[in-house]
mmCIF file of all heavy atoms in Angstrom:
data_model
loop_
_atom_site.group_PDB
_atom_site.id
_atom_site.type_symbol
_atom_site.label_atom_id
_atom_site.label_comp_id
_atom_site.label_asym_id
_atom_site.label_seq_id
_atom_site.Cartn_x
_atom_site.Cartn_y
_atom_site.Cartn_z
ATOM 1 N N PHE A 62 -2.120 -8.807 -5.570
ATOM 2 C CA PHE A 62 -1.347 -8.698 -4.326
ATOM 3 C C PHE A 62 -1.716 -7.402 -3.564
ATOM 4 O O PHE A 62 -1.390 -7.245 -2.404
ATOM 5 C CB PHE A 62 0.146 -8.774 -4.561
ATOM 6 C CG PHE A 62 0.733 -7.679 -5.401
ATOM 7 C CD1 PHE A 62 0.984 -6.446 -4.881
ATOM 8 C CD2 PHE A 62 1.052 -7.910 -6.746
ATOM 9 C CE1 PHE A 62 1.529 -5.403 -5.639
ATOM 10 C CE2 PHE A 62 1.582 -6.935 -7.511
ATOM 11 C CZ PHE A 62 1.813 -5.663 -6.967
ATOM 12 N N ALA A 63 -2.415 -6.474 -4.274
ATOM 13 C CA ALA A 63 -2.823 -5.232 -3.608
ATOM 14 C C ALA A 63 -4.066 -4.754 -4.323
ATOM 15 O O ALA A 63 -4.171 -4.743 -5.570
ATOM 16 C CB ALA A 63 -1.745 -4.164 -3.707
ATOM 17 N N THR A 64 -5.118 -4.379 -3.565
ATOM 18 C CA THR A 64 -6.322 -3.859 -4.094
ATOM 19 C C THR A 64 -6.746 -2.596 -3.341
ATOM 20 O O THR A 64 -6.400 -2.416 -2.165
ATOM 21 C CB THR A 64 -7.435 -4.893 -4.021
ATOM 22 O OG1 THR A 64 -7.750 -5.181 -2.649
ATOM 23 C CG2 THR A 64 -7.098 -6.157 -4.710
ATOM 24 N N ILE A 65 -7.526 -1.778 -3.970
ATOM 25 C CA ILE A 65 -8.051 -0.622 -3.358
ATOM 26 C C ILE A 65 -9.431 -0.250 -3.888
ATOM 27 O O ILE A 65 -9.599 -0.206 -5.130
ATOM 28 C CB ILE A 65 -7.103 0.594 -3.463
ATOM 29 C CG1 ILE A 65 -7.615 1.840 -2.701
ATOM 30 C CG2 ILE A 65 -6.844 0.967 -4.949
ATOM 31 C CD1 ILE A 65 -6.601 2.920 -2.513
ATOM 32 N N THR A 66 -10.407 -0.068 -3.037
ATOM 33 C CA THR A 66 -11.737 0.241 -3.472
ATOM 34 C C THR A 66 -11.838 1.719 -3.827
ATOM 35 O O THR A 66 -10.913 2.508 -3.570
ATOM 36 C CB THR A 66 -12.797 -0.096 -2.398
ATOM 37 O OG1 THR A 66 -12.578 0.801 -1.260
ATOM 38 C CG2 THR A 66 -12.670 -1.517 -1.947
ATOM 39 N N PHE A 67 -12.963 2.127 -4.375
ATOM 40 C CA PHE A 67 -13.169 3.513 -4.735
ATOM 41 C C PHE A 67 -13.031 4.413 -3.474
ATOM 42 O O PHE A 67 -12.465 5.525 -3.627
ATOM 43 C CB PHE A 67 -14.542 3.726 -5.369
ATOM 44 C CG PHE A 67 -14.796 5.157 -5.790
ATOM 45 C CD1 PHE A 67 -14.244 5.670 -6.968
ATOM 46 C CD2 PHE A 67 -15.585 5.987 -5.000
ATOM 47 C CE1 PHE A 67 -14.496 6.971 -7.331
ATOM 48 C CE2 PHE A 67 -15.862 7.263 -5.360
ATOM 49 C CZ PHE A 67 -15.305 7.806 -6.564
ATOM 50 N N SER A 68 -13.488 3.937 -2.313
ATOM 51 C CA SER A 68 -13.491 4.717 -1.101
ATOM 52 C C SER A 68 -12.116 4.635 -0.376
ATOM 53 O O SER A 68 -11.926 5.348 0.594
ATOM 54 C CB SER A 68 -14.578 4.281 -0.205
ATOM 55 O OG SER A 68 -14.441 2.958 0.216
ATOM 56 N N GLY A 69 -11.194 3.845 -0.912
ATOM 57 C CA GLY A 69 -9.864 3.800 -0.361
ATOM 58 C C GLY A 69 -9.537 2.635 0.574
ATOM 59 O O GLY A 69 -8.521 2.662 1.248
ATOM 60 N N ILE A 70 -10.425 1.676 0.660
ATOM 61 C CA ILE A 70 -10.156 0.471 1.492
ATOM 62 C C ILE A 70 -9.123 -0.396 0.769
ATOM 63 O O ILE A 70 -9.330 -0.772 -0.377
ATOM 64 C CB ILE A 70 -11.426 -0.316 1.783
ATOM 65 C CG1 ILE A 70 -12.455 0.560 2.506
ATOM 66 C CG2 ILE A 70 -11.112 -1.536 2.616
ATOM 67 C CD1 ILE A 70 -13.792 -0.083 2.679
ATOM 68 N N THR A 71 -8.053 -0.745 1.440
ATOM 69 C CA THR A 71 -6.984 -1.517 0.847
ATOM 70 C C THR A 71 -6.824 -2.913 1.440
ATOM 71 O O THR A 71 -7.256 -3.212 2.594
ATOM 72 C CB THR A 71 -5.622 -0.787 1.056
ATOM 73 O OG1 THR A 71 -5.363 -0.633 2.437
ATOM 74 C CG2 THR A 71 -5.716 0.614 0.416
ATOM 75 N N ASN A 72 -6.263 -3.826 0.602
ATOM 76 C CA ASN A 72 -5.987 -5.152 1.027
ATOM 77 C C ASN A 72 -4.647 -5.586 0.332
ATOM 78 O O ASN A 72 -4.379 -5.177 -0.745
ATOM 79 C CB ASN A 72 -7.090 -6.130 0.652
ATOM 80 C CG ASN A 72 -8.237 -6.136 1.606
ATOM 81 O OD1 ASN A 72 -8.091 -6.625 2.733
ATOM 82 N ND2 ASN A 72 -9.346 -5.604 1.204
ATOM 83 N N TYR A 73 -3.902 -6.425 1.094
ATOM 84 C CA TYR A 73 -2.572 -6.894 0.604
ATOM 85 C C TYR A 73 -2.432 -8.351 0.918
ATOM 86 O O TYR A 73 -2.976 -8.848 1.939
ATOM 87 C CB TYR A 73 -1.435 -6.130 1.253
ATOM 88 C CG TYR A 73 -1.479 -4.643 1.134
ATOM 89 C CD1 TYR A 73 -2.132 -3.837 2.093
ATOM 90 C CD2 TYR A 73 -0.878 -4.004 0.029
ATOM 91 C CE1 TYR A 73 -2.173 -2.501 1.955
ATOM 92 C CE2 TYR A 73 -0.923 -2.610 -0.098
ATOM 93 C CZ TYR A 73 -1.553 -1.851 0.840
ATOM 94 O OH TYR A 73 -1.566 -0.507 0.730
ATOM 95 N N THR A 74 -1.614 -9.031 0.058
ATOM 96 C CA THR A 74 -1.233 -10.362 0.401
ATOM 97 C C THR A 74 -0.063 -10.316 1.350
ATOM 98 O O THR A 74 0.598 -9.282 1.451
ATOM 99 C CB THR A 74 -0.842 -11.193 -0.844
ATOM 100 O OG1 THR A 74 0.274 -10.582 -1.453
ATOM 101 C CG2 THR A 74 -1.985 -11.308 -1.882
ATOM 102 N N ASP A 75 0.193 -11.431 2.087
ATOM 103 C CA ASP A 75 1.280 -11.406 3.077
ATOM 104 C C ASP A 75 2.670 -11.154 2.451
ATOM 105 O O ASP A 75 3.503 -10.588 3.104
ATOM 106 C CB ASP A 75 1.307 -12.751 3.762
ATOM 107 C CG ASP A 75 0.154 -12.943 4.691
ATOM 108 O OD1 ASP A 75 -0.507 -11.943 5.061
ATOM 109 O OD2 ASP A 75 -0.127 -14.109 5.109
ATOM 110 N N SER A 76 2.869 -11.512 1.207
ATOM 111 C CA SER A 76 4.171 -11.331 0.600
ATOM 112 C C SER A 76 4.577 -9.876 0.433
ATOM 113 O O SER A 76 5.807 -9.563 0.365
ATOM 114 C CB SER A 76 4.204 -12.051 -0.770
ATOM 115 O OG SER A 76 3.264 -11.438 -1.667
ATOM 116 N N VAL A 77 3.638 -8.947 0.412
ATOM 117 C CA VAL A 77 3.991 -7.584 0.206
ATOM 118 C C VAL A 77 3.514 -6.650 1.335
ATOM 119 O O VAL A 77 3.895 -5.508 1.428
ATOM 120 C CB VAL A 77 3.354 -7.005 -1.073
ATOM 121 C CG1 VAL A 77 3.749 -7.855 -2.248
ATOM 122 C CG2 VAL A 77 1.843 -6.881 -0.987
ATOM 123 N N LYS A 78 2.715 -7.236 2.300
ATOM 124 C CA LYS A 78 2.241 -6.435 3.385
ATOM 125 C C LYS A 78 3.332 -5.858 4.214
ATOM 126 O O LYS A 78 4.315 -6.548 4.547
ATOM 127 C CB LYS A 78 1.299 -7.320 4.261
ATOM 128 C CG LYS A 78 0.516 -6.534 5.291
ATOM 129 C CD LYS A 78 -0.471 -7.479 6.017
ATOM 130 C CE LYS A 78 -1.522 -8.068 5.058
ATOM 131 N NZ LYS A 78 -2.448 -8.919 5.719
ATOM 132 N N GLY A 79 3.280 -4.564 4.482
ATOM 133 C CA GLY A 79 4.285 -3.878 5.251
ATOM 134 C C GLY A 79 5.392 -3.260 4.396
ATOM 135 O O GLY A 79 6.161 -2.486 4.872
ATOM 136 N N ARG A 80 5.452 -3.689 3.142
ATOM 137 C CA ARG A 80 6.491 -3.189 2.207
ATOM 138 C C ARG A 80 5.916 -2.336 1.083
ATOM 139 O O ARG A 80 6.475 -1.357 0.665
ATOM 140 C CB ARG A 80 7.280 -4.322 1.591
ATOM 141 C CG ARG A 80 8.053 -5.184 2.617
ATOM 142 C CD ARG A 80 8.979 -6.203 1.901
ATOM 143 N NE ARG A 80 8.225 -7.097 1.071
ATOM 144 C CZ ARG A 80 8.433 -7.263 -0.214
ATOM 145 N NH1 ARG A 80 9.350 -6.531 -0.821
ATOM 146 N NH2 ARG A 80 7.739 -8.126 -0.927
ATOM 147 N N PHE A 81 4.750 -2.710 0.585
ATOM 148 C CA PHE A 81 4.082 -2.050 -0.539
ATOM 149 C C PHE A 81 2.862 -1.302 0.001
ATOM 150 O O PHE A 81 2.180 -1.718 0.885
ATOM 151 C CB PHE A 81 3.569 -3.027 -1.551
ATOM 152 C CG PHE A 81 4.688 -3.722 -2.318
ATOM 153 C CD1 PHE A 81 6.035 -3.583 -2.008
ATOM 154 C CD2 PHE A 81 4.374 -4.546 -3.405
ATOM 155 C CE1 PHE A 81 7.004 -4.303 -2.717
ATOM 156 C CE2 PHE A 81 5.315 -5.211 -4.120
ATOM 157 C CZ PHE A 81 6.677 -5.098 -3.759
ATOM 158 N N THR A 82 2.576 -0.173 -0.644
ATOM 159 C CA THR A 82 1.430 0.661 -0.307
ATOM 160 C C THR A 82 0.659 1.038 -1.586
ATOM 161 O O THR A 82 1.235 1.639 -2.484
ATOM 162 C CB THR A 82 1.796 1.909 0.469
ATOM 163 O OG1 THR A 82 2.441 1.554 1.663
ATOM 164 C CG2 THR A 82 0.512 2.692 0.838
ATOM 165 N N ILE A 83 -0.579 0.708 -1.647
ATOM 166 C CA ILE A 83 -1.445 1.101 -2.781
ATOM 167 C C ILE A 83 -2.278 2.311 -2.430
ATOM 168 O O ILE A 83 -2.713 2.440 -1.265
ATOM 169 C CB ILE A 83 -2.361 -0.039 -3.263
ATOM 170 C CG1 ILE A 83 -3.086 0.307 -4.530
ATOM 171 C CG2 ILE A 83 -3.343 -0.483 -2.149
ATOM 172 C CD1 ILE A 83 -3.857 -0.914 -5.144
ATOM 173 N N SER A 84 -2.367 3.229 -3.352
ATOM 174 C CA SER A 84 -3.167 4.430 -3.086
ATOM 175 C C SER A 84 -3.778 4.927 -4.422
ATOM 176 O O SER A 84 -3.455 4.333 -5.512
ATOM 177 C CB SER A 84 -2.283 5.578 -2.541
ATOM 178 O OG SER A 84 -1.242 5.949 -3.365
ATOM 179 N N ARG A 85 -4.690 5.895 -4.348
ATOM 180 C CA ARG A 85 -5.302 6.337 -5.612
ATOM 181 C C ARG A 85 -5.671 7.800 -5.574
ATOM 182 O O ARG A 85 -5.842 8.376 -4.456
ATOM 183 C CB ARG A 85 -6.558 5.480 -5.908
ATOM 184 C CG ARG A 85 -7.651 5.591 -4.922
ATOM 185 C CD ARG A 85 -8.768 4.574 -5.204
ATOM 186 N NE ARG A 85 -9.443 4.817 -6.458
ATOM 187 C CZ ARG A 85 -10.221 3.980 -7.084
ATOM 188 N NH1 ARG A 85 -10.362 2.698 -6.599
ATOM 189 N NH2 ARG A 85 -10.820 4.314 -8.232
ATOM 190 N N ASP A 86 -5.799 8.382 -6.719
ATOM 191 C CA ASP A 86 -6.240 9.765 -6.884
ATOM 192 C C ASP A 86 -7.461 9.679 -7.820
ATOM 193 O O ASP A 86 -7.313 9.542 -9.034
ATOM 194 C CB ASP A 86 -5.155 10.624 -7.482
ATOM 195 C CG ASP A 86 -5.532 12.074 -7.592
ATOM 196 O OD1 ASP A 86 -6.746 12.425 -7.703
ATOM 197 O OD2 ASP A 86 -4.608 12.953 -7.550
ATOM 198 N N ASN A 87 -8.668 9.781 -7.272
ATOM 199 C CA ASN A 87 -9.869 9.581 -8.099
ATOM 200 C C ASN A 87 -10.066 10.694 -9.076
ATOM 201 O O ASN A 87 -10.586 10.450 -10.188
ATOM 202 C CB ASN A 87 -11.114 9.493 -7.158
ATOM 203 C CG ASN A 87 -11.145 8.184 -6.393
ATOM 204 O OD1 ASN A 87 -10.530 7.174 -6.764
ATOM 205 N ND2 ASN A 87 -11.801 8.210 -5.248
ATOM 206 N N ALA A 88 -9.634 11.901 -8.750
ATOM 207 C CA ALA A 88 -9.772 13.007 -9.713
ATOM 208 C C ALA A 88 -8.945 12.791 -10.915
ATOM 209 O O ALA A 88 -9.310 13.207 -12.040
ATOM 210 C CB ALA A 88 -9.419 14.326 -8.996
ATOM 211 N N LYS A 89 -7.779 12.159 -10.754
ATOM 212 C CA LYS A 89 -6.873 11.888 -11.858
ATOM 213 C C LYS A 89 -7.021 10.518 -12.461
ATOM 214 O O LYS A 89 -6.303 10.145 -13.348
ATOM 215 C CB LYS A 89 -5.446 12.110 -11.427
ATOM 216 C CG LYS A 89 -5.122 13.587 -11.056
ATOM 217 C CD LYS A 89 -3.662 13.728 -10.703
ATOM 218 C CE LYS A 89 -3.335 15.170 -10.348
ATOM 219 N NZ LYS A 89 -1.919 15.329 -9.940
ATOM 220 N N LYS A 90 -7.948 9.725 -11.883
ATOM 221 C CA LYS A 90 -8.226 8.371 -12.329
ATOM 222 C C LYS A 90 -6.891 7.545 -12.357
ATOM 223 O O LYS A 90 -6.620 6.872 -13.316
ATOM 224 C CB LYS A 90 -8.870 8.363 -13.687
ATOM 225 C CG LYS A 90 -10.265 8.975 -13.717
ATOM 226 C CD LYS A 90 -10.870 8.924 -15.069
ATOM 227 C CE LYS A 90 -12.299 9.438 -15.056
ATOM 228 N NZ LYS A 90 -12.370 10.867 -14.656
ATOM 229 N N THR A 91 -6.185 7.645 -11.254
ATOM 230 C CA THR A 91 -4.856 7.028 -11.213
ATOM 231 C C THR A 91 -4.667 6.193 -9.902
ATOM 232 O O THR A 91 -5.165 6.644 -8.832
ATOM 233 C CB THR A 91 -3.742 8.127 -11.237
ATOM 234 O OG1 THR A 91 -3.852 8.863 -12.466
ATOM 235 C CG2 THR A 91 -2.378 7.488 -11.206
ATOM 236 N N VAL A 92 -4.014 5.101 -10.027
ATOM 237 C CA VAL A 92 -3.631 4.272 -8.875
ATOM 238 C C VAL A 92 -2.129 4.255 -8.813
ATOM 239 O O VAL A 92 -1.413 4.209 -9.821
ATOM 240 C CB VAL A 92 -4.223 2.835 -8.955
ATOM 241 C CG1 VAL A 92 -3.651 2.086 -10.201
ATOM 242 C CG2 VAL A 92 -3.953 2.039 -7.701
ATOM 243 N N PHE A 93 -1.601 4.228 -7.585
ATOM 244 C CA PHE A 93 -0.162 4.229 -7.374
ATOM 245 C C PHE A 93 0.253 2.970 -6.534
ATOM 246 O O PHE A 93 -0.593 2.422 -5.809
ATOM 247 C CB PHE A 93 0.306 5.453 -6.555
ATOM 248 C CG PHE A 93 -0.082 6.742 -7.208
ATOM 249 C CD1 PHE A 93 -1.258 7.420 -6.846
ATOM 250 C CD2 PHE A 93 0.713 7.317 -8.206
ATOM 251 C CE1 PHE A 93 -1.591 8.636 -7.411
ATOM 252 C CE2 PHE A 93 0.337 8.466 -8.844
ATOM 253 C CZ PHE A 93 -0.812 9.151 -8.439
ATOM 254 N N LEU A 94 1.485 2.572 -6.667
ATOM 255 C CA LEU A 94 2.014 1.544 -5.866
ATOM 256 C C LEU A 94 3.401 1.906 -5.375
ATOM 257 O O LEU A 94 4.322 1.993 -6.189
ATOM 258 C CB LEU A 94 2.106 0.197 -6.644
ATOM 259 C CG LEU A 94 2.665 -0.990 -5.857
ATOM 260 C CD1 LEU A 94 1.586 -1.404 -4.821
ATOM 261 C CD2 LEU A 94 2.948 -2.132 -6.779
ATOM 262 N N GLN A 95 3.551 2.194 -4.118
ATOM 263 C CA GLN A 95 4.853 2.492 -3.523
ATOM 264 C C GLN A 95 5.445 1.239 -3.015
ATOM 265 O O GLN A 95 4.899 0.543 -2.172
ATOM 266 C CB GLN A 95 4.708 3.500 -2.374
ATOM 267 C CG GLN A 95 6.003 3.849 -1.715
ATOM 268 C CD GLN A 95 6.961 4.571 -2.586
ATOM 269 O OE1 GLN A 95 6.531 5.482 -3.285
ATOM 270 N NE2 GLN A 95 8.209 4.168 -2.626
ATOM 271 N N MET A 96 6.621 0.860 -3.571
ATOM 272 C CA MET A 96 7.263 -0.400 -3.213
ATOM 273 C C MET A 96 8.585 -0.096 -2.487
ATOM 274 O O MET A 96 9.467 0.536 -3.093
ATOM 275 C CB MET A 96 7.568 -1.263 -4.472
ATOM 276 C CG MET A 96 6.326 -1.574 -5.275
ATOM 277 S SD MET A 96 6.666 -2.678 -6.648
ATOM 278 C CE MET A 96 7.647 -1.572 -7.651
ATOM 279 N N ASN A 97 8.672 -0.488 -1.194
ATOM 280 C CA ASN A 97 9.873 -0.297 -0.440
ATOM 281 C C ASN A 97 10.501 -1.658 -0.063
ATOM 282 O O ASN A 97 9.799 -2.666 -0.073
ATOM 283 C CB ASN A 97 9.484 0.471 0.843
ATOM 284 C CG ASN A 97 8.958 1.828 0.567
ATOM 285 O OD1 ASN A 97 9.384 2.513 -0.390
ATOM 286 N ND2 ASN A 97 8.073 2.298 1.403
ATOM 287 N N ASN A 98 11.744 -1.626 0.308
ATOM 288 C CA ASN A 98 12.497 -2.792 0.715
ATOM 289 C C ASN A 98 12.301 -3.956 -0.300
ATOM 290 O O ASN A 98 11.945 -5.067 0.078
ATOM 291 C CB ASN A 98 12.039 -3.270 2.125
ATOM 292 C CG ASN A 98 12.975 -4.324 2.741
ATOM 293 O OD1 ASN A 98 14.134 -4.368 2.374
ATOM 294 N ND2 ASN A 98 12.418 -5.072 3.638
ATOM 295 N N LEU A 99 12.561 -3.643 -1.541
ATOM 296 C CA LEU A 99 12.372 -4.658 -2.585
ATOM 297 C C LEU A 99 13.324 -5.783 -2.504
ATOM 298 O O LEU A 99 14.435 -5.616 -2.039
ATOM 299 C CB LEU A 99 12.475 -3.933 -3.963
ATOM 300 C CG LEU A 99 11.298 -3.055 -4.340
ATOM 301 C CD1 LEU A 99 11.692 -2.127 -5.491
ATOM 302 C CD2 LEU A 99 10.150 -4.020 -4.856
ATOM 303 N N ARG A 100 12.825 -6.965 -2.861
ATOM 304 C CA ARG A 100 13.565 -8.208 -2.831
ATOM 305 C C ARG A 100 13.729 -8.770 -4.209
ATOM 306 O O ARG A 100 12.905 -8.493 -5.093
ATOM 307 C CB ARG A 100 12.876 -9.231 -1.967
ATOM 308 C CG ARG A 100 12.571 -8.754 -0.520
ATOM 309 C CD ARG A 100 11.564 -9.631 0.135
ATOM 310 N NE ARG A 100 11.248 -9.214 1.513
ATOM 311 C CZ ARG A 100 10.271 -9.653 2.253
ATOM 312 N NH1 ARG A 100 9.439 -10.617 1.728
ATOM 313 N NH2 ARG A 100 10.072 -9.241 3.456
ATOM 314 N N PRO A 101 14.767 -9.610 -4.509
ATOM 315 C CA PRO A 101 14.914 -10.167 -5.794
ATOM 316 C C PRO A 101 13.639 -10.954 -6.305
ATOM 317 O O PRO A 101 13.339 -10.932 -7.455
ATOM 318 C CB PRO A 101 16.101 -11.152 -5.652
ATOM 319 C CG PRO A 101 16.915 -10.461 -4.614
ATOM 320 C CD PRO A 101 15.931 -9.860 -3.654
ATOM 321 N N GLU A 102 12.950 -11.598 -5.339
ATOM 322 C CA GLU A 102 11.746 -12.361 -5.682
ATOM 323 C C GLU A 102 10.588 -11.429 -6.080
ATOM 324 O O GLU A 102 9.555 -11.928 -6.569
ATOM 325 C CB GLU A 102 11.294 -13.241 -4.516
ATOM 326 C CG GLU A 102 11.175 -12.574 -3.206
ATOM 327 C CD GLU A 102 12.386 -12.708 -2.305
ATOM 328 O OE1 GLU A 102 13.519 -12.594 -2.836
ATOM 329 O OE2 GLU A 102 12.200 -12.958 -1.120
ATOM 330 N N ASP A 103 10.752 -10.102 -5.947
ATOM 331 C CA ASP A 103 9.734 -9.147 -6.429
ATOM 332 C C ASP A 103 9.884 -8.897 -7.937
ATOM 333 O O ASP A 103 9.027 -8.218 -8.493
ATOM 334 C CB ASP A 103 9.850 -7.846 -5.650
ATOM 335 C CG ASP A 103 9.430 -7.969 -4.208
ATOM 336 O OD1 ASP A 103 8.463 -8.682 -3.903
ATOM 337 O OD2 ASP A 103 10.079 -7.316 -3.371
ATOM 338 N N THR A 104 10.924 -9.398 -8.503
ATOM 339 C CA THR A 104 11.148 -9.204 -9.953
ATOM 340 C C THR A 104 10.021 -9.798 -10.750
ATOM 341 O O THR A 104 9.664 -10.973 -10.595
ATOM 342 C CB THR A 104 12.477 -9.826 -10.414
ATOM 343 O OG1 THR A 104 13.556 -9.167 -9.770
ATOM 344 C CG2 THR A 104 12.632 -9.769 -11.888
ATOM 345 N N ALA A 105 9.359 -8.955 -11.552
ATOM 346 C CA ALA A 105 8.194 -9.395 -12.298
ATOM 347 C C ALA A 105 7.712 -8.251 -13.175
ATOM 348 O O ALA A 105 8.188 -7.112 -13.044
ATOM 349 C CB ALA A 105 7.015 -9.801 -11.392
ATOM 350 N N VAL A 106 6.770 -8.585 -14.101
ATOM 351 C CA VAL A 106 6.047 -7.549 -14.826
ATOM 352 C C VAL A 106 4.820 -7.210 -13.981
ATOM 353 O O VAL A 106 4.067 -8.114 -13.563
ATOM 354 C CB VAL A 106 5.615 -8.020 -16.228
ATOM 355 C CG1 VAL A 106 4.794 -6.922 -16.922
ATOM 356 C CG2 VAL A 106 6.862 -8.375 -17.051
ATOM 357 N N TYR A 107 4.650 -5.951 -13.654
ATOM 358 C CA TYR A 107 3.556 -5.521 -12.809
ATOM 359 C C TYR A 107 2.438 -4.932 -13.651
ATOM 360 O O TYR A 107 2.619 -4.087 -14.504
ATOM 361 C CB TYR A 107 4.085 -4.457 -11.837
ATOM 362 C CG TYR A 107 4.844 -5.051 -10.671
ATOM 363 C CD1 TYR A 107 6.099 -5.652 -10.893
ATOM 364 C CD2 TYR A 107 4.332 -5.065 -9.389
ATOM 365 C CE1 TYR A 107 6.788 -6.252 -9.896
ATOM 366 C CE2 TYR A 107 5.040 -5.643 -8.396
ATOM 367 C CZ TYR A 107 6.274 -6.253 -8.643
ATOM 368 O OH TYR A 107 6.961 -6.830 -7.557
ATOM 369 N N PHE A 108 1.195 -5.510 -13.401
ATOM 370 C CA PHE A 108 0.035 -5.180 -14.192
ATOM 371 C C PHE A 108 -1.005 -4.423 -13.385
ATOM 372 O O PHE A 108 -1.274 -4.814 -12.231
ATOM 373 C CB PHE A 108 -0.618 -6.395 -14.780
ATOM 374 C CG PHE A 108 0.199 -7.139 -15.812
ATOM 375 C CD1 PHE A 108 1.036 -8.124 -15.462
ATOM 376 C CD2 PHE A 108 0.080 -6.746 -17.151
ATOM 377 C CE1 PHE A 108 1.799 -8.831 -16.431
ATOM 378 C CE2 PHE A 108 0.826 -7.468 -18.113
ATOM 379 C CZ PHE A 108 1.701 -8.413 -17.754
#
């Protein structure tokens, strides 16, 4: 539902677009997911 390339290009599915934001810190080898305005249907295990 969210992807980010090494250079920072992002893509989202319609279900999360405008609510979720994916980002990364290449130095720390870490990816983040900021989730706002969460809905009950967002309940899931996130991988």
Side-chain angles (χ1 to χ4, degrees):
F62 63 80
T64 65
I65 184 167
T66 67
F67 181 79
S68 62
I70 300 172
T71 61
N72 278 289
Y73 305 91
T74 62
D75 289 341
S76 63
V77 307
K78 192 174 297 182
R80 299 188 299 122
F81 293 6
T82 302
I83 187 172
S84 61
R85 64 189 293 163
D86 184 333
N87 289 335
K89 296 182 178 179
K90 297 181 175 63
T91 302
V92 63
F93 304 96
L94 182 70
Q95 179 65 46
M96 303 185 292
N97 298 325
N98 193 24
L99 284 161
R100 305 164 179 169
E102 53 263 42
D103 293 320
T104 294
V106 177
Y107 283 68
F108 294 91

